[in-house]
């Protein structure tokens, strides 16, 4: 019995030393492609053959590739490929200085050629642009951005964790968010659950935030410097404080956190008309 307890304790310690799953998803293109094969009941031997033949231009392959891109939150039938997500699955050659231009020219050609309703062909041709021009398809799993429904689910879960009152939700839906005493906890818990904040010592994850929102300023040197400055200044503070101060000082103008929370709160209040009186704190973002 003691041996079993020791094993369990060792396992808990091992888990505590690494990042927990929360709502974080990692997946490779190969995994997404194989999963789609199961969805469409394609035999494994056929899937392997498609990969061996470098994804030939066939109706079934086009459908599978679109499915895989959707599976990886890397494709939208209305707006096309999600560039800041799909590039994670390809590694350019260090000696190639033209991979980006070649890929963009190819994508422009796809938009001109493909009929808007032929989404399988558009997705497939866009994938081929990266496959042939951007770099090698990597086998490693990559962090997946969250779609709009997943954002709502995470905020709903955190709202339950924190038992947010109607009074608080009304303030949020009016836009009174940044200075609300409940916001730091909401920000922290949702950031941890999304994977935007790692409590094991790595802190704010700027690359994941970029992966989610596609704002290149998130990867700018001045943003990194700002995040590091806050981490140094508040090194003895708790994680809630560090995340909040980092958001206020470095990230508020770069990510749509406030707007997303306000929109979520509007769906949670008993009387949505109370949200009509908005606050000048609210900023306009291109969400997702």
């Amino acid at each position: 019995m003691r041996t079993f307890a020791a094993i369990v304790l060792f396992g808990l310690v091992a888990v505590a030393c690494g990042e927990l799953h929360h709502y974080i998803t990692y997946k490779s293109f190969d995994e997404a492609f194989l999963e789609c094969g199961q969805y469409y009941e394609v035999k494994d031997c056929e899937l392997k053959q498609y990969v061996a033949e470098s994804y030939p231009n066939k109706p079934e392959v086009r459908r599978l590739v679109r499915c895989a891109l959707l599976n990886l939150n890397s494709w939208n039938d209305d707006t096309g490929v999600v560039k800041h997500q799909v590039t994670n699955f390809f590694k350019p050659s260090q000696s190639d200085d033209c991979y980006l231009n070649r890929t963009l020219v190819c994508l422009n050609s796809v938009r001109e050629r493909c009929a808007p309703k032929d989404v399988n062909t558009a997705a497939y041709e866009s994938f081929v642009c990266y496959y042939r021009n951007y770099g090698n398809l990597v086998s490693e799993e990559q962090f997946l951005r969250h779609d709009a429904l997943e954002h709502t689910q995470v905020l709903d879960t955190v709202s339950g964790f924190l038992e947010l009152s109607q009074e608080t939700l009304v303030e949020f839906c009016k836009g009174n968010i940044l200075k609300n005493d409940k916001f730091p906890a909401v920000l922290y818990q949702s950031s941890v659950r999304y994977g935007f904040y790692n409590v094991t010592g790595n802190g704010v994850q700027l690359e994941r935030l970029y992966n989610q929102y596609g704002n290149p300023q998130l990867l700018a040197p001045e943003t990194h410097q700002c995040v590091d400055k806050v981490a140094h200044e508040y090194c003895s503070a708790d994680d809630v404080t560090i995340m909040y101060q980092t958001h206020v000082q470095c990230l508020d103008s770069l990510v749509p956190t406030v707007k997303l929370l306000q929109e979520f709160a509007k769906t949670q209040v008993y009387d949505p008309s109370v949200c009509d009186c908005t606050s000048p704190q609210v900023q306009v973002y291109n969400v997702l």
Side-chain angles (χ1 to χ4, degrees), residues 142-162:
Q142 304 295 322
F143 175 83
L144 298 191
R145 62 191 289 272
H146 311 290
D147 62 26
L149 290 177
E150 289 172 324
H151 261 274
T152 300
Q153 179 60 54
V154 167
L155 289 175
D156 185 59
T157 302
V158 168
S159 177
F161 289 161
L162 296 172

Side-chain angles (χ1 to χ4, degrees), residues 154-165 168 172 177-194 197 199 238-245 247-248 257 261:
V154 167
L155 289 175
D156 185 59
T157 302
V158 168
S159 177
F161 289 161
L162 296 172
E163 302 179 70
L164 297 183
S165 66
T168 296
F172 283 174
I177 295 175
L178 283 178
K179 295 183 179 181
N180 189 289
D181 61 357
K182 298 294 184 181
F183 177 61
V186 173
L187 174 67
Y188 168 72
Q189 287 196 12
S190 60
S191 296
V192 172
R193 194 159 175 80
Y194 288 139
Y197 189 90
V199 301
D238 57 31
D239 288 312
V240 174
T241 300
I242 294 172
M243 184 65 237
Y244 175 73
Q245 289 297 331
H247 177 85
V248 171
T257 303
L261 183 54

Side-chain angles (χ1 to χ4, degrees), residues 22-255:
H22 297 289
Y23 208 83
I24 305 168
T25 303
Y26 280 88
K27 195 175 292 187
S28 69
F29 183 86
D30 291 340
E31 289 173 330
F33 192 73
L34 292 174
E35 288 174 355
C36 287
Q38 292 186 353
Y39 301 152
Y40 291 118
E41 299 182 279
V42 181
K43 296 178 181 178
D44 286 347
C45 60
E46 294 179 7
L47 293 171
K48 292 178 181 178
Q49 186 65 30
Y50 293 151
V51 174
E53 295 177 359
S54 299
Y55 308 96
N57 190 356
K58 299 178 179 180
E60 186 169 59
V61 177
R62 293 197 294 269
R63 182 173 67 170
L64 287 167
V65 166
R66 172 177 171 270
C67 173
L69 292 177
L70 288 170
N71 196 350
L72 298 171
N73 287 338
S74 298
W75 175 259
N76 182 294
D77 285 339
D78 294 324
T79 58
V81 69
V82 182
K83 297 182 180 68
H84 55 275
Q85 172 71 80
V86 77
T87 52
N88 291 334
F89 300 98
F90 298 89
K91 184 176 182 179
S93 170
Q94 292 183 347
S95 61
D96 186 357
D97 296 329
C98 301
Y99 68 91
L100 184 57
N101 287 337
R102 287 198 311 272
T103 305
L104 292 177
V105 169
C106 182
L107 290 172
N108 289 333
S109 176
V110 169
R111 283 192 289 270
E112 294 173 359
R113 293 195 324 268
C114 292
K117 293 184 179 180
D118 190 358
V119 291
N120 285 340
T121 297
Y124 172 79
E125 293 285 357
S126 298
F127 167 78
V128 169
C129 285
Y130 286 91
Y131 189 67
R132 293 179 180 172
N133 297 286
Y134 196 89
N136 295 323
L137 189 63
V138 300
S139 59
E140 295 82 7
E141 295 180 338
Q142 304 295 322
F143 175 83
L144 298 191
R145 62 191 289 272
H146 311 290
D147 62 26
L149 290 177
E150 289 172 324
H151 261 274
T152 300
Q153 179 60 54
V154 167
L155 289 175
D156 185 59
T157 302
V158 168
S159 177
F161 289 161
L162 296 172
E163 302 179 70
L164 297 183
S165 66
Q166 274 292 301
E167 180 182 3
T168 296
L169 291 169
V170 167
E171 288 302 305
F172 283 174
C173 82
K174 289 181 176 180
N176 302 323
I177 295 175
L178 283 178
K179 295 183 179 181
N180 189 289
D181 61 357
K182 298 294 184 181
F183 177 61
V186 173
L187 174 67
Y188 168 72
Q189 287 196 12
S190 60
S191 296
V192 172
R193 194 159 175 80
Y194 288 139
F196 301 153
Y197 189 90
N198 187 330
V199 301
T200 60
N202 296 325
V204 176
Q205 304 292 293
L206 289 175
E207 289 189 4
R208 291 179 180 178
L209 284 166
Y210 169 74
N211 221 50
Q212 179 67 39
Y213 300 115
N215 185 344
Q217 192 62 29
L218 287 164
L219 301 181
E222 54 267 30
T223 305
H224 279 276
Q225 292 168 6
C226 181
V227 170
D228 291 342
K229 177 176 177 290
V230 172
H232 177 72
E233 289 180 353
Y234 290 87
C235 61
S236 60
D238 57 31
D239 288 312
V240 174
T241 300
I242 294 172
M243 184 65 237
Y244 175 73
Q245 289 297 331
T246 301
H247 177 85
V248 171
Q249 297 187 38
C250 311
L251 304 176
D252 185 48
S253 64
L254 306 181
V255 295

